[in-house]
Amino acid sequence: MATTVIDTIPAHLKPFVPSPTPATVTTEKSTIWGWLTTTDHKKIGTLYLFTALFFFLVGGLEAEIIRAQLGGPNRHLVSAETYNQIFTMHGTTMIFLAIMPLSAAFFNFIIPLQIGARDVAFPRLNAFSYWVYLFGGLFISIPILFGHGPNGGWFGYVPLTTRAYSAGINIDFWVIGLQILGISSLAAGFNFITTIINLRAPGMSLMRMPVFTWMAFVVQFMVILAFPVITIALFFLMMDRFFGTQFYEVAAGGDPLLWQHLFWIFGHPEVYILILPAFGLVSEVLPTFSKKPLFGYPVMVYSGILIGFLGFGVWAHHMFAVGMGPVADSVFGVTTMLIAIPTGVKIFNWIGTIAQGQFKATSASLFCVGMVALFTIGGISGVMHSSPPADLQQTDSYFIVAHFHYVMFGGSIMGLFGGIYYYFPKFFGRLLNEKLGKWHFWLTFIGMNLTFFPMHFSGMLGMPRRIYTYDAGQGWEVFNHISTIGAYLLAVATAIFIYNFFKSRVSGPAAGPNPWGAGTLEWTIPSPPPVYNFAVLPTVTSRYPLWEGKQADIEGARINQQSGKTAEQLGIVIPYSTIKPLLAAAFMIIMFSGLIVGHWLILVGAAATVLALYGWLTSPLEPEHH
Amino acid sequence: MSTATVSHHYSSTGLENRKIAIWAFIGSECMLFVSLISTYLIYKDRSVVGPYPHTPWTDPSTGHVYHAILNIPVTSASTFILLMSSLAMVLALSAVENKGKPQHNLGERILGNSKLWLFMTALLGLGFLGCQAYEFTSFVNEGLTIKTNLFGSTFFTLTGFHGAHVTAGVIWILTMLFIDFKRGLGPSDALNVDIMALYWHFVDVIWVAIFTLVYLIR
Ligand SMILES: [Cu+2]
């Protein structure tokens, strides 16, 4: 018997009270095979979390090498060629392999729980997205270990990256790897758009949706509209490099600016793809620790949507230095200034949330407050170079490096760390150690500012981006020295976090369903949630069902929190585990690597991929109903 | 059990998941083709050597005269073929949706034959691909390859990309036809055919844009 919403709820239920912390944590043990074949959004989210943290450490190690090399004048810790590979992979890793997938970990784990669903719309496609990400990430990351890492900067400007100027296979791995990663993001985009549109529980109207899910929704639209554009830019470059086309061939009439336009039409929306999930997380954490609903919820939602739209109309602010002429410069300067308005509105809404509530400082809320502060600094320096004349002084200098690290580290990473402290109990059923968490926060906060704030000055003094080393006597030494000390401090902070993460996962105190007294739907179910998430699909009557819910919310929550039953006992159908998405992903990577290995392998890989897809599509998703 | 299973296959909008996903996919594909077509248009008339799409060109070093490359009559025919395949697809979908309803005369039996219309759709799709293969070979014989000039690079990449979409569509249709022969498609398969049809019509509409912007407008 499958469950219905109403008829299984006993009539005598009392209003909802957060249950006391239980002594034990119920987790299902899973084999390696279980992880390889999983279609459960929570397990896939966990895989994303671990993989993204791994790549975060890789990208962090690359950053430490960069800072060690730049810590003093005329250092030769690594060779100039290796240095090129390291800064290229630092950017590529952090953007595509760490921040985006860390957001994806939360999308996977949290969105279905926040909207009251049992899984995403397409569980197997979800597994496919993850495996493509993992394999694509390894594909693009491993070459550097053999001295063949991509070395053209994360934006891969032509003509530097064309065959004539980059003959080696370094750029080949980058061009192919990013196309592979794009497929992962696109598949996830279709999946989450469908999930959010169609799997919301009864009563979960769009304007009751938690802001994290809202921001994720906006992000997925940006992904499916922006990634095709970089895919085409990369496809042209691949054709130029492998098949002798002339898209970026200046002598043949080709225009290097074509790459810049296509890249940044993707690249600027990408910035919002990286930051909006953190905005969403902050919008969950701050209300919980202020004991107050989010200030200005509708404005928060609309400003997120507006950012999504405007994000597609500002790309050429990355190109003021190429001489587009006064009209284009003015237009893109103005649109860039405009996009600061919805972003600024969000900052005031967060401040409004804290100001009117009873703020409680925890690791999660500190990271989120830190995010608001540091992102504001990055946002303000961003508005500075929205003005073309100012930008001409700042572009390609360390001032820009300072700016986007305040946005990406101070914004995205701090927000995501806040999210990790907040949702760790939901992932693993245990709490992270708060004391270590606060050490992590303060060391990160101080280290981050020590690292990146001096870069404003070294940039203003003329230090260019991507420079390998520099002579003494230009006034850059002291700022670089401070930056490097800050980077070492960040390494210590991250080590504390990693220790805390793995220690608490095993022996942290049991969290219970709702350790923070939060108000949204994901906190109505056990931590970690049972495989079916909700024993009964909740009926939602408000934005914070646990805080302001009507009787229906509360009754559903109580049932779900106390359910210790298996899916079979409840008659809930769970999708089969299957290895086919992994196989399809693996064969697809083989197909792509044929471009480097030999063209025969493209055909073999394509045939194997098609076979795997046929096997996947002809096997049933889940057992039949009966 | 239809009400009891509502919690499992619950849908907020009443729409099928796959229907929403295919629309998102089509939106995304639009950006792919917008990028390709824009590049073609931006690079139009920027090739430093011929041959050119609409005008003849004399190679200054050899004196060889190249005719205007594009063959409008052939492509008009292939465009017509592709549009007709969309019509056949509409009929195939309606035949699958109406499977099992009584058929009173020959006309209704023909219209209700999903195998016939799926076959016709695939055949017309293959006809379009045949025209494209003919077009590509004759261009190469006339001296335009993907490496010759910007026109060659953008033209072959754009139309080849579209051709790959048509090829994927034909494989999809043939797979559906195979299933129809194996166990017969019925109204319960209508969603699958509907999604395939949406993809196919999208690929056709994109071709109309390409035909207009690349072939017809000089
Ligand atoms: Cu930008």
Side-chain angles (χ1 to χ4, degrees):
Chain A
M1 180 63 203
T3 50
T4 50
V5 177
I6 301 303
D7 61 14
T8 50
I9 298 176
H12 59 273
L13 284 173
K14 286 179 242 130
F16 181 79
V17 190
S19 67
T21 306
T24 55
V25 178
T26 320
T27 42
E28 295 167 64
K29 278 276 160 268
S30 195
T31 59
I32 301 268
W33 183 250
W35 286 104
L36 296 178
T37 59
T38 185
T39 50
D40 180 345
H41 72 97
K42 298 179 289 299
K43 281 190 174 175
I44 294 170
T46 309
L47 287 171
Y48 264 109
L49 179 66
F50 278 106
T51 315
L53 283 177
F54 167 74
F55 280 117
F56 177 68
L57 294 182
V58 172
L61 180 66
E62 286 155 354
E64 296 298 334
I65 298 173
I66 293 172
R67 281 320 318 166
Q69 163 67 23
L70 293 177
N74 290 315
R75 282 193 188 171
H76 296 278
L77 184 74
V78 291
S79 72
E81 166 57 26
T82 307
Y83 186 79
N84 289 349
Q85 297 182 16
I86 288 175
F87 76 66
T88 300
M89 282 315 292
H90 168 67
T92 305
T93 303
M94 285 306 196
I95 289 166
F96 295 102
L97 306 180
I99 298 183
M100 278 184 79
L102 211 46
S103 309
F106 290 112
F107 296 160
N108 267 283
F109 205 101
I110 302 302
I111 289 175
L113 305 185
Q114 279 198 330
I115 62 174
R118 296 228 162 96
D119 207 320
V120 294
F122 305 103
R124 295 181 293 189
L125 186 66
N126 201 23
F128 176 76
S129 290
Y130 169 73
W131 295 112
V132 173
Y133 153 56
L134 175 66
F135 296 149
L138 294 175
F139 183 90
I140 210 169
S141 300
I142 287 176
I144 198 172
L145 299 177
F146 301 96
H148 295 296
N151 52 4
W154 87 273
F155 36 74
Y157 271 13
V158 298
L160 175 63
T161 45
T162 58
R163 191 67 81 190
Y165 302 99
S166 293
I169 54 174
N170 312 48
I171 300 292
D172 294 338
F173 283 109
W174 186 81
V175 167
I176 299 167
L178 282 194
Q179 290 182 71
I180 295 171
L181 292 168
I183 292 170
S184 164
S185 301
L186 287 168
F190 307 138
N191 207 344
F192 282 108
I193 286 176
T194 310
T195 304
I196 295 172
I197 291 179
N198 222 23
L199 297 189
R200 283 168 289 124
M204 178 58 82
S205 61
L206 287 176
M207 289 313 273
R208 280 185 194 145
M209 234 161 52
V211 171
F212 174 69
T213 297
W214 250 116
M215 292 305 110
F217 195 40
V218 174
V219 162
Q220 301 309 332
F221 277 102
M222 300 187 85
V223 164
I224 68 162
L225 297 177
F227 267 78
V229 182
I230 192 182
T231 302
I232 290 301
L234 292 163
F235 189 76
F236 290 161
L237 184 55
M238 186 179 81
M239 293 295 284
D240 273 10
R241 289 181 65 86
F242 288 100
F243 303 107
T245 53
Q246 305 178 333
F247 287 101
Y248 304 121
E249 204 65 57
V250 179
D255 191 345
L257 287 189
L258 174 69
W259 171 271
Q260 295 195 19
H261 279 293
L262 291 176
F263 185 85
W264 290 114
I265 288 173
F266 151 80
H268 193 86
E270 172 70 11
V271 173
Y272 288 97
I273 290 169
L274 294 167
I275 193 72
L276 284 180
F279 283 3
L281 288 169
V282 170
S283 306
E284 299 300 320
V285 173
L286 289 181
T288 295
F289 294 104
S290 305
K291 291 199 175 10
K292 179 185 160 297
L294 186 67
F295 181 78
Y297 171 97
V299 179
M300 216 60 164
V301 170
Y302 294 137
S303 60
I305 298 171
L306 194 59
I307 288 173
F309 276 106
L310 291 177
F312 280 93
V314 299
W315 77 89
H317 63 209
H318 297 267
M319 300 166 59
F320 287 146
V322 304
M324 295 178 296
V327 175
D329 279 5
S330 316
V331 168
F332 284 101
V334 167
T335 53
T336 305
M337 290 173 199
L338 271 180
I339 205 169
I341 297 173
T343 315
V345 162
K346 283 184 174 294
I347 289 168
F348 282 109
N349 277 326
W350 292 319
I351 295 172
T353 305
I354 302 170
Q356 300 184 339
Q358 308 152 288
F359 183 73
K360 183 162 181 268
T362 63
S363 309
S365 64
L366 284 172
F367 266 105
C368 291
V369 172
M371 183 276 189
V372 175
L374 298 176
F375 175 80
T376 304
I377 297 175
I380 288 170
S381 58
V383 177
M384 285 169 75
H385 37 252
S386 68
S387 160
D391 181 71
L392 288 179
Q393 298 299 313
Q394 297 160 358
T395 192
D396 256 336
S397 78
Y398 258 82
F399 190 89
I400 299 291
V401 181
H403 156 69
F404 68 70
H405 279 92
Y406 267 87
V407 176
M408 293 289 98
F409 194 114
S412 300
I413 293 281
M414 296 284 276
L416 288 163
F417 271 134
I420 290 178
Y421 282 94
Y422 187 60
Y423 281 122
F424 186 90
K426 197 45 76 182
F427 272 78
F428 303 112
R430 297 179 187 279
L431 293 161
L432 280 163
N433 183 303
E434 271 296 309
K435 200 174 168 192
L436 290 176
K438 283 181 180 157
W439 272 100
H440 176 211
F441 167 73
W442 285 110
L443 286 178
T444 303
F445 188 81
I446 296 165
M448 190 269 159
N449 283 295
L450 272 183
T451 310
F452 300 116
F453 204 79
M455 290 181 185
H456 291 111
F457 301 109
S458 44
M460 277 301 160
L461 290 169
M463 181 167 163
R465 278 174 84 170
R466 301 182 287 271
I467 194 171
Y468 166 57
T469 188
Y470 51 90
D471 280 330
Q474 301 174 88
W476 302 350
E477 296 101 306
V478 59
F479 296 116
N480 274 285
H481 202 69
I482 300 171
S483 286
T484 300
I485 292 170
Y488 294 158
L489 209 56
L490 285 176
V492 174
T494 308
I496 293 174
F497 166 72
I498 294 295
Y499 170 79
N500 191 2
F501 188 94
F502 285 98
K503 181 106 195 320
S504 303
R505 204 174 78 85
V506 183
S507 59
N514 189 4
W516 315 119
T520 40
L521 223 47
E522 69 270 32
W523 303 104
T524 62
I525 55 175
S527 310
V531 62
Y532 47 80
N533 298 347
F534 296 89
V536 292
L537 277 194
T539 304
V540 182
T541 57
S542 72
R543 280 180 198 145
Y544 294 91
L546 289 175
W547 286 354
E548 47 190 34
K550 315 263 177 338
Q551 198 63 15
D553 298 336
I554 290 159
E555 285 167 356
R558 189 165 203 83
I559 295 270
N560 281 321
Q561 205 181 85
Q562 293 171 350
S563 161
K565 293 187 175 140
T566 64
E568 296 80 54
Q569 287 168 327
L570 291 163
I572 297 170
V573 179
I574 302 295
Y576 289 123
S577 300
T578 167
I579 193 73
K580 282 160 192 154
L582 185 153
L583 289 181
F587 293 148
M588 201 180 73
I589 308 295
I590 291 174
M591 176 181 83
F592 275 106
S593 52
L595 279 165
I596 295 172
V597 179
H599 290 184
W600 58 273
L601 196 59
I602 301 178
L603 291 177
V604 175
T609 310
V610 170
L611 280 180
L613 284 176
Y614 269 118
W616 164 356
L617 294 171
T618 50
S619 53
L621 171 69
E622 60 200 9
E624 286 286 310
H625 286 281
H626 41 129
Chain B
M1 289 300 286
S2 58
T3 50
T5 54
V6 70
S7 61
H8 183 65
H9 285 298
Y10 172 79
S11 141
S12 328
T13 58
L15 294 168
E16 285 284 347
N17 286 340
R18 279 174 290 170
K19 195 83 175 247
I20 297 173
I22 191 80
W23 277 110
F25 174 76
I26 286 173
S28 187
E29 287 270 292
C30 279
M31 291 303 285
L32 216 57
F33 280 104
V34 163
S35 309
L36 283 162
I37 295 172
S38 311
T39 302
Y40 178 88
L41 294 178
I42 290 163
Y43 275 174
K44 209 175 165 185
D45 304 326
R46 286 179 63 152
S47 302
V48 291
V49 294
Y52 297 127
H54 299 290
T55 47
W57 176 66
T58 312
D59 187 339
S61 56
T62 61
H64 183 80
V65 178
Y66 294 85
H67 296 288
I69 282 288
L70 294 181
N71 187 338
I72 309 291
V74 167
T75 316
S76 304
S78 75
T79 305
F80 180 74
I81 291 173
L82 198 60
L83 289 176
M84 285 305 106
S85 81
S86 256
L87 178 64
M89 183 62 102
V90 171
L91 293 173
L93 175 60
S94 121
V96 170
E97 280 171 344
N98 295 313
K99 201 61 79 69
K101 289 193 183 157
Q103 295 164 341
H104 302 292
N105 53 40
L106 181 65
E108 287 186 2
R109 275 202 291 280
I110 291 176
L111 280 179
N113 188 337
S114 59
K115 295 188 188 73
L116 172 69
W117 296 115
L118 283 173
F119 177 75
M120 285 303 292
T121 315
L123 190 70
L124 290 164
L126 283 171
F128 174 83
L129 288 173
C131 288
Q132 193 169 50
Y134 165 78
E135 186 188 31
F136 280 16
T137 9
S138 63
F139 289 2
V140 170
N141 290 337
E142 284 170 51
L144 180 78
T145 70
I146 202 163
K147 302 177 183 181
T148 310
N149 57 13
L150 275 185
F151 167 58
S153 295
T154 50
F155 173 82
F156 282 114
T157 304
L158 168 59
T159 53
F161 220 85
H162 180 267
H165 277 74
V166 176
T167 310
V170 168
I171 294 172
W172 194 349
I173 296 162
L174 289 175
T175 307
M176 213 52 103
L177 183 62
F178 174 76
I179 297 171
D180 203 358
F181 272 110
K182 218 174 123 191
R183 63 165 176 79
L185 294 172
S188 64
D189 302 294
L191 177 68
N192 283 329
V193 181
D194 192 5
I195 287 166
M196 179 174 77
L198 273 174
Y199 172 81
W200 191 252
H201 298 320
F202 163 73
V203 170
D204 281 11
V205 168
I206 289 292
W207 181 256
V208 172
I210 294 175
F211 181 61
T212 312
L213 294 170
V214 174
Y215 289 83
L216 293 185
I217 296 178
R218 283 169 171 253

